[in-house]
Amino acid sequence: MRKSLLGRFLGVFALVAACSVAATAWLAAQTTSGALEQEQGQALADDARIYDALLGYAATHPRWDGVDGTVKDLASRFGRRIAVTTQARAPLADSAGSSGPQLPNRPSAVVDPLSLDSALSKDSGSSATDRIDARAVGPFRLPSSERRELRGKADRVAACLGRLGQNVEVTEGPSGRPRIDPGDMPADRVTSDDCSTTDLDTPTETEAKALEALTKLTNACLSRQDRPGITLNPDLTWRGDRLPGPVAVPVPLPAPRAFDRAADEAVGSCVNTARREQLSSYVAQPALLFIGDPDRGNVPGFDLSATSTARIAGAAALVLALTIGVSVLTGRRLVRPLRALTGAAQRMKEGAEATPIAVHADNEIGQLAAAFYELAEHRARLEAQRKAMVSDVAHELRTPLSNIRGWLEAAQDGLADTDPALIASLLEEAVQLQHIIDDLQDLAQADAGALRLHPEPVDVADLLGQVAAAHQAEAERAGVTLSVAVPKPAPAVTADPVRLRQAVGNLLSNAVRHTPRGGRVDLRAHGEGVDGAGDGPVSDVVVEVADTGSGIAAEDLPYVFDRFWRAERSRNRRTGGSGLGLSIVRKLVEAHGGSATAASTEGVGSTFTLRLPTGAREASGKAAKL
């Protein structure tokens, strides 16, 4: 396909189509994507902030009472309409008030601090597994007294680390517990034996009570699944006889057992369930959040401004110019050799010879040019053969007719006696005329597909013997030894015996005529199997006519079966016939489904081979299509 004309057409059209599609897509993207991306990106960011703000409210309030002020403040800040309803769509707060348009069927999100929306809560600090908002601390929220005490401990640890050159900050988590924030410093460097954080990390009374309650809820869940209980650590990892936990501090066990992944997952699930159960009374119930655009008509998109129109016109002109340019270049390259071939065909029509045209393309046009010149050469050969045939037919008919006319005029004038010798001479010339006419008629029938065969089983040995007997007298007059060699049992073939004797007789007559005195001509036949050997079932019968004559030159060998071709250009009646015998041989053998070939060595002799299939022809009695 790379060199194919069709492939090039497809490639060019695909390129033009791709450029058109790319230009269209580029225009659409350039005119809309920038504004849309900016608007949508800002809208998504604003939606995430609104969701996070309301999520924080739900995580720190047991009810939605009082959220109306937060909703109006968010709507004013982001320029959006914000509405919060219960899951039954009972209104809780709406920035548009009760007179606002109807809410859409699908909410923007569900505000539930115990089940976060992963698409909007990327910065909520929640775990990817529990999906509980980190601000939902419930009973773990520290009273002010414990906060002050822990803050003092954290400040002392920070000051100690500061004296050691480790600059850290003290931050406060959602529960009010202070923690050491290393800032940009790696966490593994924020440590010192002189600045112990043991007192700071010890759970307070409030945290211990909440942790104990969470452990009981977790173990109740495990008990319902017939699993052993565990002990929760302050960081919500766990310890147990069979479950060391994914990040728990190693605890000496009396009989360590293999890690049970299924049991570990069950514990994690129970911990999350227990946390939701423990926090359910401290957070607001799930609510539906609706976020809308109060100005829906101002949606950025495609416009026909002067700038956009100019860009469209420029891109269209570029694509058009590219299409025209590629089409012109491709068309000129395609039309140039076609025009040359058309001119050559026109010159041939006017009688001139076809002149070579330089077409180097290895595609359909190159193949067309090669086929055109092969056709021109074939036409030239046919024309030459036609002219030669007319000349040869005239020559072959002129000689016997001239002889017959001359002797008859002489007899009419009384210059020759009509004795038996004259009559025999005239009969010989008439037979020669009849032979030429019969040959021409056979070839005409073969060319018209009207050559009829009447196949029947033929004994090859008998057929070759009959042909040899018919030409024995001719061979003796020429001083040529004639022999027949056929193996026993002789191979049999289904063929038309008359036509097959005619083909072999033509070969034998030709061989005797071109074999000098003292030479020999051999008639041979043998069978060949499917594998080309003589063993096994016979598929072909091979008949050979070999002589020790003058042979045929290598450059003449491809033309021996052409009509009126003779190696003897002088057309001596003694050494050459009409030039139709071998053409008839080939046509007759091909009509039987076989082939005729010739091999020769100049000065040594020639061998003509007829290869015939042994099977009977299904088209018995019908015209053979040649």
Side-chain angles (χ1 to χ4, degrees):
M1 288 296 291
R2 182 176 61 85
K3 295 181 179 180
S4 170
L5 182 61
L6 177 60
R8 294 188 180 182
F9 268 123
L10 292 177
V12 170
F13 294 151
L15 176 62
V16 173
C19 291
S20 301
V21 172
T24 303
W26 178 79
L27 282 173
Q30 290 296 318
T31 53
T32 59
S33 62
L36 286 176
E37 287 178 1
Q38 182 179 0
E39 184 70 18
Q40 291 176 355
Q42 184 63 39
L44 288 175
D46 292 346
D47 290 351
R49 294 188 182 96
I50 294 170
Y51 172 80
D52 185 69
L54 293 175
L55 192 67
Y57 184 92
T60 55
H61 295 77
R63 290 180 301 276
W64 287 102
D65 299 342
V67 74
D68 189 68
T70 303
V71 168
K72 290 183 178 180
D73 180 65
L74 292 173
S76 175
R77 191 195 325 170
F78 295 105
R80 310 293 293 277
R81 180 196 176 184
I82 303 173
V84 180
T85 70
T86 65
Q87 290 186 317
R89 290 184 172 260
L92 297 174
D94 191 344
S95 62
S98 59
S99 61
Q102 185 178 359
L103 296 176
N105 294 329
R106 185 175 179 179
S108 301
V110 177
V111 182
D112 185 2
L114 302 183
S115 180
L116 300 181
D117 187 335
S118 58
L120 296 174
S121 59
K122 296 180 180 179
D123 299 329
S124 64
S126 62
S127 168
T129 56
D130 56 30
R131 296 178 61 192
I132 298 176
D133 191 274
R135 292 167 291 189
V137 294
F140 287 88
R141 185 177 300 277
L142 301 179
S144 57
S145 58
E146 293 181 352
R147 290 188 183 187
R148 287 194 298 269
E149 181 180 356
L150 290 176
R151 182 65 187 222
K153 293 179 180 180
D155 290 340
R156 287 193 293 272
V157 172
C160 178
L161 293 174
R163 289 192 295 272
L164 296 176
Q166 299 181 5
N167 296 322
V168 297
E169 294 181 0
V170 178
T171 59
E172 190 173 283
S175 65
R177 166 176 279 276
R179 57 190 177 191
I180 304 298
D181 186 359
D184 296 334
M185 185 180 297
D188 56 355
R189 293 184 55 189
V190 185
T191 181
S192 175
D193 294 339
D194 297 334
C195 305
S196 176
T197 60
T198 302
D199 292 342
L200 183 61
D201 295 335
T202 301
T204 65
E205 181 180 354
T206 300
E207 290 174 331
K209 185 184 297 184
L211 187 61
E212 182 181 359
L214 183 60
T215 302
K216 290 181 179 179
L217 292 174
T218 302
N219 288 334
C221 175
L222 293 173
S223 177
R224 290 192 293 271
Q225 302 179 22
D226 294 331
R227 295 185 181 275
I230 52 95
T231 300
L232 286 176
N233 298 318
D235 58 356
L236 298 186
T237 59
W238 57 84
R239 294 171 295 168
D241 180 32
R242 298 181 61 188
L243 303 169
V247 292
V249 178
V251 176
L253 298 176
R257 302 181 182 181
F259 176 66
D260 189 342
R261 184 179 183 87
D264 189 66
E265 291 178 353
V267 172
S269 177
C270 281
V271 170
N272 292 333
T273 301
R275 289 188 63 197
R276 289 185 175 87
E277 184 178 352
Q278 186 185 43
L279 296 173
S280 61
S281 60
Y282 293 89
V283 298
Q285 294 298 313
L288 303 181
L289 173 62
F290 297 87
I291 303 176
D293 192 346
D295 189 8
R296 293 184 178 272
N298 186 20
V299 178
F302 183 80
D303 61 356
L304 290 177
S305 62
T307 303
S308 297
T309 303
R311 295 168 69 182
I312 293 172
L318 178 62
V319 172
L320 182 60
L322 176 63
T323 303
I324 294 175
V326 173
S327 300
V328 169
L329 292 177
T330 305
R332 292 185 63 182
R333 290 178 61 87
L334 293 177
V335 170
R336 188 183 302 115
L338 294 178
R339 286 179 175 173
L341 290 175
T342 303
Q346 186 66 31
R347 290 191 294 272
M348 288 177 58
K349 178 182 177 182
E350 296 171 356
E353 295 184 357
T355 56
I357 299 175
V359 179
H360 305 291
D362 187 14
N363 54 25
E364 286 85 348
I365 294 181
Q367 295 171 6
L368 175 61
F372 175 80
Y373 284 109
E374 289 179 2
L375 177 62
E377 292 177 359
H378 183 65
R379 175 180 175 274
R381 287 196 302 268
L382 290 179
E383 182 66 17
Q385 290 177 0
R386 184 187 65 81
K387 294 178 180 179
M389 179 178 178
V390 173
S391 175
D392 292 338
V393 170
H395 178 81
E396 294 295 334
L397 295 179
R398 182 185 300 113
T399 301
L401 284 176
S402 297
N403 291 336
I404 293 173
R405 178 180 178 181
W407 284 111
L408 288 177
E409 288 178 349
Q412 186 180 26
D413 295 339
L415 299 177
D417 297 330
T418 56
D419 54 9
L422 177 60
I423 294 174
S425 176
L426 294 176
L427 179 60
E428 181 181 356
E429 296 296 341
V431 170
Q432 179 68 18
L433 279 174
Q434 184 65 44
H435 180 69
I436 295 175
I437 293 172
D438 290 342
D439 287 348
L440 289 173
Q441 184 178 10
D442 288 341
L443 286 175
Q445 290 179 345
D447 289 337
L451 186 63
R452 294 185 176 274
L453 300 178
H454 302 280
E456 61 183 55
V458 176
D459 188 289
V460 177
D462 291 344
L463 186 139
L464 295 186
Q466 295 172 9
V467 175
H471 292 78
Q472 184 65 43
E474 179 184 357
E476 290 177 355
R477 287 195 302 270
V480 176
T481 302
L482 185 60
S483 66
V484 179
V486 181
K488 293 183 179 180
V493 65
T494 300
D496 187 327
V498 176
R499 294 298 186 181
L500 188 55
R501 278 195 298 269
Q502 180 183 359
V504 178
N506 284 357
L507 292 179
L508 183 57
S509 176
N510 191 65
V512 170
R513 187 165 54 250
H514 290 85
T515 300
R517 183 173 296 276
R520 61 181 293 116
V521 176
D522 297 326
L523 276 173
R524 302 188 293 263
H526 64 275
E528 282 191 358
V530 178
D531 57 355
D535 301 333
V538 175
S539 62
D540 294 324
V541 172
V542 179
V543 177
E544 296 178 341
V545 179
D547 63 63
T548 58
S550 57
I552 304 172
E555 62 271 15
D556 294 333
L557 195 59
Y559 308 105
V560 294
F561 291 102
D562 290 349
R563 299 174 186 180
F564 293 108
W565 183 90
R566 291 190 299 184
E568 179 58 47
R569 300 298 193 272
S570 65
R571 307 194 60 81
N572 190 320
R573 294 290 298 276
R574 186 183 64 82
T575 59
S578 64
L580 299 174
L582 293 181
S583 297
I584 294 175
V585 168
R586 181 176 62 181
K587 291 293 185 180
L588 292 176
V589 175
E590 290 177 351
H592 284 82
S595 61
T597 57
S600 181
T601 302
E602 196 169 6
V604 177
S606 304
T607 300
F608 288 83
T609 303
L610 307 182
R611 186 177 300 274
L612 300 169
T614 58
R617 293 174 57 88
E618 296 181 0
S620 176
K622 297 183 179 180
K625 301 300 182 181
L626 302 177

Short mmCIF file of all heavy atoms in Angstrom, two decimals, residues 246-285:
data_model
loop_
_atom_site.label_atom_id
_atom_site.label_comp_id
_atom_site.label_asym_id
_atom_site.label_seq_id
_atom_site.Cartn_x
_atom_site.Cartn_y
_atom_site.Cartn_z
N PRO A 246 -2.15 -2.75 62.12
CA PRO A 246 -1.23 -2.37 61.05
C PRO A 246 -0.08 -1.49 61.50
O PRO A 246 1.01 -1.59 60.96
CB PRO A 246 -2.14 -1.65 60.05
CG PRO A 246 -3.30 -1.16 60.86
CD PRO A 246 -3.50 -2.17 61.94
N VAL A 247 -0.29 -0.60 62.49
CA VAL A 247 0.79 0.30 62.91
C VAL A 247 0.92 0.32 64.44
O VAL A 247 1.43 1.28 65.00
CB VAL A 247 0.53 1.73 62.39
CG1 VAL A 247 0.65 1.78 60.89
CG2 VAL A 247 -0.85 2.22 62.82
N ALA A 248 0.43 -0.70 65.14
CA ALA A 248 0.47 -0.71 66.60
C ALA A 248 1.89 -0.92 67.09
O ALA A 248 2.73 -1.53 66.44
CB ALA A 248 -0.43 -1.82 67.14
N VAL A 249 2.16 -0.40 68.30
CA VAL A 249 3.45 -0.62 68.92
C VAL A 249 3.57 -2.10 69.26
O VAL A 249 2.64 -2.71 69.79
CB VAL A 249 3.59 0.24 70.19
CG1 VAL A 249 4.92 -0.01 70.87
CG2 VAL A 249 3.44 1.71 69.83
N PRO A 250 4.68 -2.78 68.93
CA PRO A 250 4.79 -4.21 69.21
C PRO A 250 4.55 -4.51 70.68
O PRO A 250 5.08 -3.86 71.58
CB PRO A 250 6.22 -4.54 68.79
CG PRO A 250 6.59 -3.49 67.82
CD PRO A 250 5.87 -2.24 68.28
N VAL A 251 3.74 -5.52 70.92
CA VAL A 251 3.41 -5.94 72.28
C VAL A 251 3.79 -7.40 72.41
O VAL A 251 3.42 -8.22 71.54
CB VAL A 251 1.90 -5.76 72.56
CG1 VAL A 251 1.55 -6.29 73.94
CG2 VAL A 251 1.53 -4.30 72.47
N PRO A 252 4.50 -7.79 73.46
CA PRO A 252 4.87 -9.21 73.62
C PRO A 252 3.62 -10.06 73.74
O PRO A 252 2.73 -9.79 74.55
CB PRO A 252 5.70 -9.23 74.90
CG PRO A 252 6.15 -7.82 75.09
CD PRO A 252 5.06 -6.95 74.53
N LEU A 253 3.51 -11.05 72.93
CA LEU A 253 2.37 -11.96 72.95
C LEU A 253 2.83 -13.32 73.44
O LEU A 253 3.94 -13.77 73.11
CB LEU A 253 1.76 -12.08 71.56
CG LEU A 253 1.20 -10.77 70.96
CD1 LEU A 253 0.73 -11.02 69.54
CD2 LEU A 253 0.07 -10.25 71.82
N PRO A 254 2.00 -14.00 74.18
CA PRO A 254 2.40 -15.31 74.70
C PRO A 254 2.61 -16.32 73.57
O PRO A 254 3.48 -17.17 73.68
CB PRO A 254 1.23 -15.70 75.60
CG PRO A 254 0.07 -14.89 75.10
CD PRO A 254 0.65 -13.61 74.62
N ALA A 255 1.82 -16.25 72.54
CA ALA A 255 1.96 -17.21 71.44
C ALA A 255 1.67 -16.48 70.13
O ALA A 255 0.52 -16.42 69.70
CB ALA A 255 1.00 -18.39 71.61
N PRO A 256 2.70 -15.85 69.54
CA PRO A 256 2.47 -15.10 68.31
C PRO A 256 1.87 -16.00 67.22
O PRO A 256 2.28 -17.14 67.05
CB PRO A 256 3.87 -14.62 67.91
CG PRO A 256 4.67 -14.69 69.17
CD PRO A 256 4.10 -15.84 69.95
N ARG A 257 0.88 -15.43 66.53
CA ARG A 257 0.23 -16.17 65.45
C ARG A 257 0.40 -15.41 64.13
O ARG A 257 0.72 -14.23 64.11
CB ARG A 257 -1.27 -16.37 65.76
CG ARG A 257 -1.50 -17.09 67.06
CD ARG A 257 -2.98 -17.29 67.29
NE ARG A 257 -3.22 -17.93 68.57
CZ ARG A 257 -4.42 -18.25 69.04
NH1 ARG A 257 -5.49 -17.95 68.32
NH2 ARG A 257 -4.56 -18.85 70.20
N ALA A 258 0.14 -16.13 63.05
CA ALA A 258 0.28 -15.52 61.72
C ALA A 258 -0.73 -14.40 61.55
O ALA A 258 -1.83 -14.45 62.09
CB ALA A 258 0.07 -16.59 60.64
N PHE A 259 -0.33 -13.38 60.79
CA PHE A 259 -1.20 -12.24 60.53
C PHE A 259 -2.43 -12.69 59.74
O PHE A 259 -2.31 -13.33 58.70
CB PHE A 259 -0.42 -11.18 59.73
CG PHE A 259 -1.25 -10.01 59.32
CD1 PHE A 259 -1.77 -9.14 60.27
CD2 PHE A 259 -1.51 -9.78 57.99
CE1 PHE A 259 -2.52 -8.07 59.88
CE2 PHE A 259 -2.27 -8.69 57.60
CZ PHE A 259 -2.77 -7.83 58.56
N ASP A 260 -3.60 -12.34 60.28
CA ASP A 260 -4.87 -12.73 59.67
C ASP A 260 -5.44 -11.49 58.97
O ASP A 260 -5.97 -10.60 59.64
CB ASP A 260 -5.82 -13.24 60.74
CG ASP A 260 -7.08 -13.86 60.11
OD1 ASP A 260 -7.34 -13.56 58.93
OD2 ASP A 260 -7.76 -14.61 60.81
N ARG A 261 -5.29 -11.44 57.63
CA ARG A 261 -5.70 -10.23 56.90
C ARG A 261 -7.21 -10.01 57.02
O ARG A 261 -7.66 -8.88 57.23
CB ARG A 261 -5.31 -10.38 55.42
CG ARG A 261 -5.62 -9.13 54.59
CD ARG A 261 -5.19 -9.33 53.16
NE ARG A 261 -5.43 -8.11 52.40
CZ ARG A 261 -4.58 -7.10 52.30
NH1 ARG A 261 -3.43 -7.17 52.94
NH2 ARG A 261 -4.86 -6.04 51.57
N ALA A 262 -8.00 -11.10 56.90
CA ALA A 262 -9.45 -10.96 56.98
C ALA A 262 -9.87 -10.44 58.35
O ALA A 262 -10.74 -9.58 58.47
CB ALA A 262 -10.12 -12.30 56.68
N ALA A 263 -9.24 -10.97 59.40
CA ALA A 263 -9.58 -10.52 60.75
C ALA A 263 -9.17 -9.06 60.96
O ALA A 263 -9.90 -8.28 61.58
CB ALA A 263 -8.88 -11.41 61.78
N ASP A 264 -8.03 -8.68 60.39
CA ASP A 264 -7.58 -7.29 60.53
C ASP A 264 -8.55 -6.34 59.83
O ASP A 264 -8.85 -5.27 60.35
CB ASP A 264 -6.18 -7.16 59.92
CG ASP A 264 -5.58 -5.81 60.22
OD1 ASP A 264 -5.30 -5.51 61.39
OD2 ASP A 264 -5.39 -5.05 59.25
N GLU A 265 -9.04 -6.74 58.65
CA GLU A 265 -10.02 -5.90 57.97
C GLU A 265 -11.32 -5.82 58.75
O GLU A 265 -11.98 -4.77 58.77
CB GLU A 265 -10.28 -6.47 56.57
CG GLU A 265 -9.08 -6.33 55.64
CD GLU A 265 -9.35 -6.95 54.28
OE1 GLU A 265 -10.42 -7.61 54.15
OE2 GLU A 265 -8.52 -6.80 53.37
N ALA A 266 -11.68 -6.92 59.39
CA ALA A 266 -12.90 -6.91 60.21
C ALA A 266 -12.76 -5.94 61.38
O ALA A 266 -13.69 -5.21 61.72
CB ALA A 266 -13.21 -8.32 60.71
N VAL A 267 -11.58 -5.91 62.01
CA VAL A 267 -11.36 -4.99 63.13
C VAL A 267 -11.42 -3.55 62.64
O VAL A 267 -12.03 -2.69 63.27
CB VAL A 267 -10.00 -5.29 63.79
CG1 VAL A 267 -9.67 -4.22 64.83
CG2 VAL A 267 -10.04 -6.65 64.46
N GLY A 268 -10.78 -3.28 61.47
CA GLY A 268 -10.82 -1.92 60.94
C GLY A 268 -12.25 -1.48 60.65
O GLY A 268 -12.61 -0.33 60.92
N SER A 269 -13.04 -2.38 60.11
CA SER A 269 -14.44 -2.05 59.84
C SER A 269 -15.20 -1.77 61.12
O SER A 269 -15.99 -0.82 61.20
CB SER A 269 -15.09 -3.20 59.06
OG SER A 269 -16.45 -2.95 58.84
N CYS A 270 -14.95 -2.56 62.16
CA CYS A 270 -15.65 -2.35 63.43
C CYS A 270 -15.22 -1.04 64.09
O CYS A 270 -16.02 -0.35 64.73
CB CYS A 270 -15.38 -3.53 64.38
SG CYS A 270 -16.39 -4.99 63.98
N VAL A 271 -13.96 -0.68 63.96
CA VAL A 271 -13.47 0.59 64.52
C VAL A 271 -14.20 1.76 63.85
O VAL A 271 -14.67 2.69 64.52
CB VAL A 271 -11.95 0.71 64.36
CG1 VAL A 271 -11.48 2.12 64.72
CG2 VAL A 271 -11.22 -0.31 65.24
N ASN A 272 -14.29 1.72 62.51
CA ASN A 272 -14.98 2.80 61.80
C ASN A 272 -16.47 2.85 62.17
O ASN A 272 -17.04 3.94 62.35
CB ASN A 272 -14.84 2.60 60.29
CG ASN A 272 -13.42 2.81 59.82
OD1 ASN A 272 -12.65 3.54 60.44
ND2 ASN A 272 -13.05 2.15 58.73
N THR A 273 -17.09 1.67 62.29
CA THR A 273 -18.50 1.64 62.68
C THR A 273 -18.69 2.20 64.08
O THR A 273 -19.63 2.96 64.37
CB THR A 273 -19.03 0.19 62.62
OG1 THR A 273 -18.86 -0.31 61.28
CG2 THR A 273 -20.49 0.12 63.00
N ALA A 274 -17.78 1.84 65.01
CA ALA A 274 -17.86 2.33 66.38
C ALA A 274 -17.66 3.84 66.43
O ALA A 274 -18.33 4.55 67.21
CB ALA A 274 -16.82 1.61 67.24
N ARG A 275 -16.75 4.37 65.62
CA ARG A 275 -16.52 5.81 65.61
C ARG A 275 -17.78 6.54 65.13
O ARG A 275 -18.16 7.57 65.70
CB ARG A 275 -15.35 6.15 64.69
CG ARG A 275 -13.99 5.73 65.23
CD ARG A 275 -12.89 6.27 64.34
NE ARG A 275 -12.90 7.73 64.34
CZ ARG A 275 -12.29 8.48 63.43
NH1 ARG A 275 -11.67 7.90 62.43
NH2 ARG A 275 -12.34 9.80 63.52
N ARG A 276 -18.42 6.05 64.08
CA ARG A 276 -19.64 6.69 63.60
C ARG A 276 -20.74 6.63 64.65
O ARG A 276 -21.50 7.59 64.84
CB ARG A 276 -20.09 6.02 62.31
CG ARG A 276 -19.20 6.32 61.12
CD ARG A 276 -19.77 5.73 59.84
NE ARG A 276 -18.98 6.12 58.67
CZ ARG A 276 -17.91 5.47 58.24
NH1 ARG A 276 -17.51 4.38 58.88
NH2 ARG A 276 -17.24 5.93 57.19
N GLU A 277 -20.83 5.49 65.34
CA GLU A 277 -21.85 5.36 66.39
C GLU A 277 -21.57 6.31 67.55
O GLU A 277 -22.49 6.93 68.11
CB GLU A 277 -21.88 3.91 66.88
CG GLU A 277 -22.98 3.63 67.90
CD GLU A 277 -23.00 2.17 68.32
OE1 GLU A 277 -22.25 1.36 67.71
OE2 GLU A 277 -23.76 1.84 69.25
N GLN A 278 -20.29 6.44 67.89
CA GLN A 278 -19.92 7.32 69.00
C GLN A 278 -20.12 8.79 68.65
O GLN A 278 -20.51 9.61 69.48
CB GLN A 278 -18.46 7.06 69.38
CG GLN A 278 -18.00 7.82 70.62
CD GLN A 278 -16.52 7.61 70.88
OE1 GLN A 278 -15.72 7.63 69.96
NE2 GLN A 278 -16.18 7.37 72.15
N LEU A 279 -19.88 9.17 67.35
CA LEU A 279 -19.94 10.57 66.94
C LEU A 279 -21.33 11.00 66.48
O LEU A 279 -21.56 12.20 66.28
CB LEU A 279 -18.93 10.81 65.80
CG LEU A 279 -17.46 10.63 66.13
CD1 LEU A 279 -16.61 10.73 64.87
CD2 LEU A 279 -17.00 11.66 67.17
N SER A 280 -22.23 10.03 66.27
CA SER A 280 -23.52 10.36 65.67
C SER A 280 -24.30 11.40 66.45
O SER A 280 -25.03 12.22 65.88
CB SER A 280 -24.35 9.09 65.49
OG SER A 280 -24.58 8.49 66.76
N SER A 281 -24.17 11.39 67.79
CA SER A 281 -24.93 12.35 68.60
C SER A 281 -24.22 13.69 68.73
O SER A 281 -24.78 14.63 69.31
CB SER A 281 -25.19 11.77 70.00
OG SER A 281 -23.97 11.48 70.65
N TYR A 282 -23.00 13.80 68.21
CA TYR A 282 -22.21 15.04 68.34
C TYR A 282 -22.18 15.84 67.03
O TYR A 282 -21.68 16.96 67.02
CB TYR A 282 -20.77 14.72 68.75
CG TYR A 282 -20.65 14.16 70.15
CD1 TYR A 282 -20.73 12.79 70.36
CD2 TYR A 282 -20.48 15.00 71.25
CE1 TYR A 282 -20.61 12.26 71.63
CE2 TYR A 282 -20.36 14.48 72.53
CZ TYR A 282 -20.43 13.10 72.72
OH TYR A 282 -20.32 12.58 73.98
N VAL A 283 -22.65 15.25 65.91
CA VAL A 283 -22.59 15.94 64.62
C VAL A 283 -24.01 16.08 64.08
O VAL A 283 -24.94 15.39 64.52
CB VAL A 283 -21.73 15.15 63.60
CG1 VAL A 283 -20.30 15.04 64.10
CG2 VAL A 283 -22.31 13.78 63.31
N ALA A 284 -24.18 16.98 63.13
CA ALA A 284 -25.49 17.21 62.53
C ALA A 284 -25.84 16.04 61.59
O ALA A 284 -24.96 15.37 61.04
CB ALA A 284 -25.50 18.52 61.76
N GLN A 285 -27.12 15.84 61.39
CA GLN A 285 -27.57 14.78 60.50
C GLN A 285 -27.20 15.12 59.04
O GLN A 285 -27.03 16.29 58.69
CB GLN A 285 -29.08 14.61 60.63
CG GLN A 285 -29.53 14.11 61.99
CD GLN A 285 -28.96 12.73 62.30
OE1 GLN A 285 -29.02 11.83 61.46
NE2 GLN A 285 -28.42 12.57 63.50
#
